[in-house]
Amino acid sequence: MRPLPLLPALLLLTSTGCAGALNRAVKRRTIPELSQTRDLGVACAFGEVGVAAAATVSGQHSQQALSVAWTMSGLCTEEQAWEEELGSRLALAHMPEEARTPAATDARLAAERGHAEAARRYQQGYQDALVAYGGAEDCKLRSDADEGVYLLGLMAGLLAQVNDGQADGAVGIPLNQLVEVARATDCLDDARWWGIPSAARFAAWATVPGSGPTEVDPWQGLSQAAARGDAAGQGIPRALWLFTAANAGNSDLVRSILDGWPALDPAQPPQWPLLDAYARHLARHEADLLWIAAEGHRAPAPPAPPAPPAARGADPFGSTDPFGGTEPFGGTEPFGTPPDPPAPPSE
Amino acid sequence: MQRLLLASLSFLALAAASPAQAASVCVYDPAGRTGFMYKMAESWAINAASWGARVELRPYTDEATAVNDFTAGSCDGVMASGVRLQRYNPATYTVEAVGGVPSYDLLKPVLSTLQTKAAYTPMFDAGEYETVGIWPLGAVYVMVRDRSLASIGALSGKRIASLDYDKASALAISRMGGVGVSADLATLGPAFNNGELDVLFLPATAYTPFELWHGLGDKGGIITTPLLQVTYQVLIHDGKFPEGFGTKSRTWVAGDFDTAMKSIKAAEAEVPAKYWVKPTDSAQTELEGFAQKLRLELRDQSKAYDGRVLSLLKKARCNADPARAECAQSLE
């Protein structure tokens, strides 16, 4: 992929102080490029630099650029929070008994700080998107690029509430924000955006009791949205389904969603690899949580996890012992008797 | 079919290959894993490691399912509201008695004393179960679509949400002369907002998630006097946790009171001042008398409340405010 044209654009525009031009540059140049990366670290760096640069332009008029930058910057602190969250679980699993609670508590508090910062950043991204385009009643979207910025802003709105919950409400994101975002997704065409708008809507309805129409089964809706996303190579709907199931404690469904995750198809790359990469990153985090609980370590790298003992297949030797039950090497020790380990030094 | 790393995890294997046996606890939080109740549970579970227990939390967004799974033996412990756990431990449920604890200032020493003084340990023993912690979950308030109804006497004939597992609210509605409308967490918010219900009994923590301003509108109100205090309780199976776990857990939970109150007070602060209705002196007296009658009936007829705990709560109320009319009586 080509280098992102972000910094030159931002530096040029901040030096000229033209907020409208900055918004246009971000929509026409930066987002088309940024959305093609699968490197979340690059997106995070873009966000942090972009916030600092765009804020120097008269902030009241560059909300579109700021919304994208704030949203991307949330990735940085959310990633730190996730790492600390895993650290807390690992401390409980492996530390000596007397150190478990303080070590796990420390990591948990660090995770809460990270989630709080992520919530602040995502919330800023969401608020800037609302200022630029309005909420469900307004839908002031004039172009595909506007829709892209708005979609990111709505995702940020969801993530702000999720992260604030994990930060024990440190930021004070309104608890109806999921529902507010769900309403605003009506501004976006579900097919155009690979099922993400409907997945966000169903996720909110499944999470907040009574928030959706009684005749709609949000879990079925999430499943359908995930299928739509899968067909387009876009994992965000499946990630929303996964997170909603994990949040509700439906572990069987979590396993099923992870098991059904399609492999990357080189013949059909997703249109916004950035979002798909984030979806897979979130899935990896959920898998890590499960693996630590079960095995004491994170999910291993590809190609395959250990199979369950019961699923490893029948004894390929037909349960007969080809060596006749005797020591296969004839009972002789070819290397001689090993020496005793060295004794500790005397005091 | 080729699978992604994450996808190809065989999680059934994981369940069978756990490196150490942990005690499982079904944790109810309507907001799930990101809710403030679940966060309290996480902190408790981390501290449980220092009391000799390895605890695995399982989130539930449906309270009945959490308790049913505990009953079925799927979990070694459960965290749910006192009212939902009343059939296991009526004594700890009685802390939620109607009008039993009229303020958060009083609730803190009540929960702290009960959970930390050895003299009260027996109330946590529930046969083969033990209650090992009680947090506050917020006062339940009377919310009305029309603030002219903001007194007990005015509620006659009004439609009031009733939870089928809550004897106290059903009896309260009956004694108010109200019309009980069966509801659950998924239906009561929309029903109040669209006018199918006139009155709700809910903590203020429900105000924002359920967007209750739609139902309260310009005329609605919330009576400032709490109807009761709902609590969040941890109940465990005996034998699934180390000896002495209950005492250590209750002591820690008592000290965690302010953590819970932080979320509760933040939620109450989101309710605009215009909705809070302070009852008149006569309405307050009427409310206190109504609550007392209800407590006695729930103690004597329904056998829902534990008389010993009601007696303790009365002492606490009268120590805090000796001028209360009930302090000259010996009914509780």
Side-chain angles (χ1 to χ4, degrees):
Chain A
M1 133 180 205
R2 285 174 292 154
L4 294 174
L6 163 73
L7 275 178
L10 284 178
L11 291 174
L12 173 68
L13 292 162
T14 52
S15 64
T16 59
C18 179
L22 177 59
N23 284 332
R24 283 193 296 278
V26 166
K27 285 191 290 185
R28 291 177 186 171
R29 300 287 310 279
T30 307
I31 286 187
E33 291 290 339
L34 184 67
S35 65
Q36 294 306 306
T37 183
R38 299 196 66 86
D39 189 332
L40 298 178
V42 167
C44 142
F46 159 80
E48 291 194 325
V49 173
V51 165
T56 62
V57 178
S58 56
Q60 280 74 3
H61 304 292
S62 54
Q63 279 85 11
Q64 293 160 4
L66 277 167
S67 175
V68 175
W70 276 117
T71 300
M72 294 300 121
S73 74
L75 295 171
C76 312
T77 42
E78 185 177 58
E79 172 64 17
Q80 292 163 12
W82 282 351
E83 278 301 308
E84 296 290 356
E85 203 179 318
L86 298 182
S88 180
R89 309 288 176 103
L90 288 167
L92 280 178
H94 299 304
M95 293 294 258
E97 190 170 337
E98 68 277 8
R100 274 178 209 154
T101 295
T105 300
D106 182 69
R108 180 170 181 264
L109 292 172
E112 285 186 4
R113 289 181 191 177
H115 281 305
E117 191 53 41
R120 278 187 205 98
R121 292 180 177 195
Y122 283 136
Q123 185 67 359
Q124 196 63 53
Y126 175 57
Q127 291 296 339
D128 282 333
L130 290 185
V131 170
Y133 301 112
E137 301 79 19
D138 303 311
C139 297
K140 295 182 287 190
L141 306 170
R142 287 184 290 272
S143 67
D144 209 46
D146 282 333
E147 290 190 18
V149 174
Y150 198 56
L151 177 75
L152 288 177
L154 295 186
M155 294 295 297
L158 291 181
L159 292 172
Q161 180 150 15
V162 165
N163 276 275
D164 195 33
Q166 289 167 325
D168 207 10
V171 182
I173 305 297
L175 291 174
N176 66 325
Q177 189 155 298
L178 289 183
V179 178
E180 194 179 270
V181 169
R183 287 192 284 261
T185 58
D186 282 339
C187 297
L188 297 167
D189 179 69
D190 199 51
R192 162 67 186 86
W193 296 103
W194 320 293
I196 296 175
S198 65
R201 197 156 50 242
F202 292 127
W205 292 350
T207 302
V208 183
S211 61
T214 51
E215 68 278 11
V216 174
D217 177 358
W219 293 101
Q220 191 181 0
L222 279 164
S223 168
Q224 290 165 348
R228 175 172 265 179
D230 288 350
Q234 177 50 257
I236 288 289
R238 182 169 281 271
L240 287 167
W241 188 22
L242 171 68
F243 187 84
T244 307
N247 188 56
N250 191 337
S251 51
D252 289 342
L253 183 56
V254 166
R255 291 174 192 135
S256 161
I257 295 167
L258 286 169
D259 261 336
W261 210 293
L264 275 175
D265 181 0
Q268 190 203 12
Q271 293 189 49
W272 276 42
L274 172 70
L275 289 182
D276 184 60
Y278 179 76
R280 287 168 191 268
H281 195 56
L282 185 145
R284 192 181 77 183
H285 180 66
E286 290 296 335
D288 282 345
L289 292 173
L290 288 173
W291 272 84
I292 289 171
E295 299 281 3
H297 59 76
R298 296 161 199 250
R312 284 177 187 152
D315 180 351
F317 304 120
S319 77
T320 58
D321 184 344
F323 302 110
T326 58
E327 212 276 83
F329 302 117
T332 60
E333 175 48 76
F335 304 110
T337 305
D340 291 330
S346 58
E347 293 182 358
Chain B
M1 176 183 170
Q2 188 189 2
R3 302 282 189 197
L4 168 72
L5 147 73
L6 308 165
S8 57
L9 304 177
S10 295
F11 292 103
L12 291 176
L14 301 183
S18 182
Q21 280 300 318
S24 57
V25 176
C26 298
V27 180
Y28 167 64
D29 186 322
R33 206 175 55 173
T34 55
F36 84 94
M37 294 152 65
Y38 193 81
K39 299 303 291 182
M40 293 194 300
E42 280 186 334
S43 188
W44 173 82
I46 286 175
N47 281 276
S50 67
W51 313 323
R54 189 178 159 85
V55 175
E56 177 215 344
L57 302 179
R58 297 180 188 166
Y60 285 75
T61 51
D62 182 74
E63 191 173 33
T65 307
V67 176
N68 289 343
D69 279 5
F70 170 73
T71 304
S74 300
C75 300
D76 303 317
V78 62
M79 291 190 175
S81 62
V83 60
R84 186 68 82 164
L85 295 173
Q86 62 181 297
R87 71 175 188 268
Y88 288 99
N89 193 340
T92 54
Y93 163 55
T94 304
V95 172
E96 299 183 358
V98 179
V101 186
S103 72
Y104 293 136
D105 286 344
L106 188 57
L107 184 62
K108 184 173 183 175
V110 162
L111 289 183
S112 175
T113 305
L114 290 176
Q115 295 190 88
T116 57
K117 300 283 187 196
Y120 305 115
T121 300
M123 75 175 271
F124 297 97
D125 181 3
E128 58 186 300
Y129 307 102
E130 182 181 359
T131 303
V132 299
I134 307 179
W135 282 272
L137 267 193
V140 169
Y141 296 102
V142 179
M143 304 181 180
V144 292
R145 285 174 61 90
D146 181 347
R147 60 173 50 218
S148 69
L149 304 176
S151 69
I152 295 297
L155 297 178
S156 179
K158 300 303 172 194
R159 295 162 298 173
I160 307 174
S162 172
L163 304 172
D164 56 8
Y165 57 90
D166 183 3
K167 290 178 196 168
S169 74
L171 189 67
I173 293 166
S174 166
R175 296 298 174 262
M176 287 168 178
V179 178
V181 178
S182 182
D184 59 30
L185 211 53
T187 59
L188 48 75
F192 183 72
N193 285 339
N194 67 24
E196 291 168 23
L197 289 169
D198 302 306
V199 183
L200 279 182
F201 302 151
L202 270 184
T205 45
Y207 175 79
T208 304
F210 289 168
E211 301 187 331
L212 295 179
W213 52 84
H214 294 302
L216 290 164
D218 295 329
K219 291 166 48 184
I222 303 174
I223 301 176
T224 54
T225 302
L227 192 62
L228 56 88
Q229 301 284 350
V230 67
T231 64
Y232 194 43
Q233 304 193 0
V234 199
L235 184 76
I236 62 170
H237 269 289
D238 271 353
K240 303 286 187 181
F241 290 79
E243 194 66 31
F245 181 86
T247 302
K248 291 172 184 166
S249 171
R250 284 190 294 273
T251 302
W252 185 86
V253 171
D256 202 40
F257 181 93
D258 289 336
T259 302
M261 285 310 303
K262 188 182 68 171
S263 299
I264 294 163
K265 287 188 172 173
E268 293 190 353
E270 288 181 13
V271 179
K274 67 176 182 178
Y275 285 136
W276 292 107
V277 181
K278 191 172 186 318
T280 61
D281 288 348
S282 62
Q284 178 67 25
T285 303
E286 181 192 27
L287 188 61
E288 288 173 7
F290 174 80
Q292 186 191 47
K293 278 186 194 161
L294 216 53
R295 288 195 299 274
L296 297 176
E297 191 169 349
L298 283 160
R299 179 191 68 184
D300 300 333
Q301 273 85 57
S302 308
K303 310 293 183 194
Y305 289 165
D306 184 305
R308 295 165 301 175
V309 178
L310 284 185
S311 176
L312 287 172
L313 296 182
K314 183 200 165 189
K315 283 181 188 168
R317 290 192 300 274
C318 290
N319 281 338
D321 180 9
R324 294 174 69 90
E326 64 175 334
C327 302
Q329 305 166 327
S330 54
L331 298 173
E332 290 178 79

